[in-house]
Amino acid sequence: MACFRPLVGLALSVMLSGCALLAPAPPENQSNICEIFREQPDWYDYARASHEKWGTPIVIQMAFIERESSFRSHVKPPRTKLLGFIPWRRPSSAYGYAQAQDPVWGEYEGEAGRLFARRTHMKHATDFIGWYNARTRRMTGVSLHNPEHLYLAYHEGQGGYRRGSWRGKPAVQRAARQVATTASRYRSQLAA
């Protein structure tokens, strides 16, 4: 029986990687939200539904996803290296379009009633971002129209944001400014 365990693991790996093969390819021009929605029209519908439900503007949702995963559905953080060359553990459980980590994804599933949500589906990723940002607004008072500070809370968690953990992290501050810049560009493009 023990000799079948590696075969079962291999079969599961092949099946799960097959799901990644069926996922949409990342948009060719990620700097233009209109081109993104031309390639993936359902994504607009998903982001609009999340906006209507939770209040986070479409352009901010998409700027988060561009920053977190570059619109790749099955992306995970790179593995660390043991002894400098042996693939080892991943630094976090972040996964999917929104790079949601296991604990907060579990909270989302419970609170939003999304028990079968998948981090690799854009509909669920946009809904997650909307839910998370609505929670950020409730817990910290950050406006849903402030992409820079919403992203700081997204990256650091609401508690970390309130403690100001991001203040000593120039890379996180830079990333938040980039998200704000992307959201602003997307806003102009979508309006046109």
Side-chain angles (χ1 to χ4, degrees), residues 67-181:
R67 174 68 196 176
E68 290 295 299
S69 67
S70 299
F71 299 100
R72 294 174 294 158
S73 62
H74 287 74
V75 71
K76 296 178 182 179
R79 292 183 179 278
T80 57
K81 303 286 187 196
L82 181 66
L83 302 174
F85 67 96
I86 301 170
W88 198 238
R89 296 185 180 108
R90 296 185 193 280
S92 79
S93 61
Y95 180 57
Y97 285 117
Q99 289 295 283
Q101 295 190 38
D102 292 348
V104 74
W105 187 260
E107 291 174 32
Y108 162 70
E109 288 177 316
E111 288 180 21
R114 297 294 223 150
L115 297 179
F116 299 105
R118 296 185 331 263
R119 289 180 267 188
T120 57
H121 194 293
M122 185 61 78
K123 179 179 183 177
H124 304 144
T126 55
D127 193 66
F128 170 80
I129 291 168
W131 167 82
Y132 193 90
N133 287 340
R135 190 166 91 162
T136 294
R137 182 178 47 85
R138 278 193 316 274
M139 295 172 75
T140 68
V142 172
S143 167
L144 291 176
H145 298 278
N146 185 338
E148 184 174 345
H149 283 264
L150 286 172
Y151 186 78
L152 290 169
Y154 190 79
H155 191 278
E156 298 294 297
Q158 288 97 1
Y161 177 82
R162 282 194 308 257
R163 288 188 304 276
S165 63
W166 50 273
R167 287 190 176 96
K169 298 178 180 178
V172 173
Q173 293 175 44
R174 231 180 351 267
R177 285 191 301 271
Q178 289 169 351
V179 166
T181 299

